[in-house]
Amino acid sequence: MRVSSQGVTVVALLADPDAPTEIAQRMARTLSARLAEKSGQGRRFDVEVVSEPFTSGAEDLPTLMRRMMDRKSAENWDIVVALTDLPLHSHGRKLVVELSHEHGLALLSLPSLGGLRLQTRARRAVEEAVLGLAGPRAAGAEEPPQPLGRFVGRLAPVHPGPVGEQETADLRYVVSGPRGYLRVLVGMVRANRPWRLVPGLSKALAAALATGAIATLDSTLWSLAASLSTPRLVIAMVGSVALMIGWLIVDGELWHRTAEGSPEARQRAALYNASTVLTVGIGVLVCYGGLMVINLVWALFILNDRVFASLTRTPLHATEYLTLSWFVASVATVGGALGSGLESDEAIRAAAYSKREQERRRMLQDDHGDQPSK
C-alpha cells in the first residue's frame, strides 16, 4: 500500500488500457517536475500510472467516481486523475472533465478534447486539474478554486456543466451543440487510431491485390475502363468502398446496439456507430489508395501499348493507365471484401467501442479470477 510521505503529493493516473494508458505513460515522464515547478510552493509530486479497465461495464459518472474513490482509499493516493477514451455524458451533454475537490478526484474523457494535439491537451488538462485539486490544502483556502480556466479558454465551446447536490463531483466541464458533437466524434475516431486498422485489413488487401493483378490482364476490363466516364468511375469507387465498409462492420459484428431506451443511451450508440463507420472508412480508403498505386505500377510493367490499342482502339497514354488502375481498384476492392476472412481479426474489432468495452470487461473478470481467495 502506498502512503504519501510528508511534503509529497502522490498523484495516480488511473488510465483505461490501450490509448489512455499510452498517453498517461508519456505524460508521467515529465509531469512530476512540471507540477512542482508550477505549484511554486516547494511542493513535490510523485506520479504513478495505473492501467486498468476502470470503466468496464459502466459509463455513468456516479459509478465511475465511486470506483475511483475506492481505488484511492485502498492505495492511499492523495489525488486520482482518471483517463478514459469512452465518450461520457452528463445531463445530455458530452463530458470533458469533472472534479471532486473534497475527495481529490478528476475524471477526464479524452474524446472531448478532439483529435488534434491530443497529448498536449490531455497534459494541460491533467496539470491544471491536479494543481486545482492540490491547491486548497496547500494554501488552506476554504473554497476550492476553479481549475482549468486557461485550458478551457483555449478549447471553446467547453463550459461549466450542471452538478447535482447529491453528486460526488463539485465541478464539471462539458461540451454541447454541433461543434461539441463534432469534436467528440473526431476525438473518438482519433482514439480508435484508424491507421492501426490498415494492418488489420491485410487479408482483404491480399485478396484485392490478387483480384487486381488478374483483372489488369483482362481485355474486357480494358474496354470497360476506356468507355467509362469520370462520374461512373466515382460511382464505382464509392460503391466498392461502401460495400467493403459494410462487409467489415457486419462480418466483425461491430455495429453497436443498446437495450436501453433512454435518450442518452441512444445518443451513445449513435456516437459509437458513427465513429466506427468513420474509422473503418478511413482504413478502407487508405487501402483503396494503396491498391490503386500498386495496380498502376503493375499496369505500367505488364501492359503492351500495341496490344491495348488493337483491342480497345484507344492509345495507351497516362490517362488510360490512371483510368484502368482506378477501375481495377474498385473491382479488386469488391473481390477483397467478398474474399476476406476477418471474423477473428482483433484490429478490426478494436475499431468499435462496444467491442473494446467487452475486452475490458473480460480483462476485469480475469483480474478478479486471478486473485487468491481469502
Side-chain angles (χ1 to χ4, degrees):
M1 181 181 294
R2 285 292 304 274
V3 180
S4 58
S5 60
Q6 188 174 5
V8 178
T9 301
V10 180
V11 179
L13 300 181
L14 184 63
D16 266 334
D18 206 12
T21 296
E22 294 178 8
I23 291 173
Q25 289 173 341
R26 287 194 295 267
M27 186 188 307
R29 297 169 188 167
T30 59
L31 188 58
S32 297
R34 293 178 64 91
L35 290 173
E37 179 183 356
K38 290 189 175 185
S39 64
Q41 302 169 3
R43 194 165 191 173
R44 292 183 296 156
F45 294 84
D46 184 12
V47 178
E48 60 181 71
V49 178
V50 178
S51 177
E52 65 178 48
F54 74 95
T55 59
S56 179
E59 296 179 23
D60 59 297
L61 299 180
T63 299
L64 298 181
M65 294 296 277
R66 282 197 302 271
R67 291 180 180 180
M68 293 165 60
M69 289 177 58
D70 293 341
R71 292 290 282 126
K72 179 176 180 288
S73 300
E75 301 293 340
N76 273 5
W77 293 323
D78 295 314
I79 294 174
V80 176
V81 180
L83 289 81
T84 179
D85 55 1
L86 291 178
L88 301 176
H89 296 77
S90 173
H91 304 283
R93 299 175 177 88
K94 288 82 175 175
L95 177 74
V96 179
V97 61
E98 77 169 21
L99 304 98
S100 171
H101 292 84
E102 178 183 356
H103 301 286
L105 305 175
L107 174 60
L108 178 63
S109 178
L110 295 175
S112 298
L113 302 181
L116 300 176
R117 303 175 62 204
L118 180 59
Q119 184 70 42
T120 300
R121 288 177 174 177
R123 175 179 55 77
R124 288 175 178 171
V126 170
E127 287 177 2
E128 296 192 29
V130 171
L131 293 172
L133 294 173
R137 289 183 295 174
E142 294 181 0
E143 296 294 332
Q146 295 283 316
L148 300 173
R150 290 178 298 172
F151 171 77
V152 169
R154 303 187 193 103
L155 205 63
V158 176
H159 55 85
V163 180
E165 294 182 359
Q166 304 300 321
E167 293 189 63
T168 303
D170 51 38
L171 182 62
R172 176 177 293 141
Y173 287 100
V174 298
V175 294
S176 57
R179 288 180 61 190
Y181 181 90
L182 181 61
R183 172 174 291 159
V184 173
L185 180 59
V186 173
M188 292 173 67
V189 175
R190 168 66 173 80
N192 279 339
R193 295 183 289 186
W195 55 88
R196 291 178 54 183
L197 192 65
V198 176
L201 296 174
S202 58
K203 295 178 183 178
L205 189 57
L209 285 172
T211 304
I214 297 174
T216 304
L217 303 177
D218 192 334
S219 59
T220 303
L221 284 180
W222 298 354
S223 301
L224 281 174
S227 63
L228 288 176
S229 61
T230 300
R232 290 189 175 185
L233 289 170
V234 171
I235 292 173
M237 178 185 70
V238 172
S240 62
V241 169
L243 178 62
M244 184 71 159
I245 294 171
W247 175 260
L248 291 173
I249 291 175
V250 172
D251 188 51
E253 299 180 357
L254 299 180
W255 197 254
H256 181 79
R257 297 180 177 85
T258 178
E260 303 177 36
S262 65
E264 283 197 4
R266 290 196 297 269
Q267 191 178 54
R268 284 198 302 269
L271 271 174
Y272 290 154
N273 292 329
S275 68
T276 297
V277 170
L278 287 176
T279 301
V280 176
I282 291 172
V284 171
L285 284 174
V286 171
C287 289
Y288 186 95
L291 191 62
M292 186 173 174
V293 171
I294 294 173
N295 286 335
L296 177 60
V297 174
W298 173 243
L300 288 170
F301 173 76
I302 202 69
L303 293 184
N304 182 280
D305 55 350
R306 293 182 180 178
V307 175
F308 185 92
S310 66
L311 292 173
T312 64
R313 297 181 181 179
T314 303
L316 186 58
H317 298 312
T319 302
E320 282 67 37
Y321 278 113
L322 290 173
T323 301
L324 178 62
S325 301
W326 189 2
F327 182 56
V328 168
S330 300
V331 174
T333 299
V334 175
L338 298 177
S340 62
L342 298 170
E343 67 279 354
S344 62
D345 199 319
E346 294 180 0
I348 301 299
R349 295 193 181 102
Y353 277 91
S354 57
K355 289 298 181 181
R356 187 177 298 167
E357 172 69 6
Q358 293 178 20
E359 293 296 329
R360 285 180 179 148
R361 188 178 297 119
R362 284 196 292 268
M363 187 186 303
L364 190 62
Q365 293 173 349
D366 293 342
D367 290 343
H368 289 167
D370 293 339
Q371 294 178 356
S373 58
K374 297 182 179 179

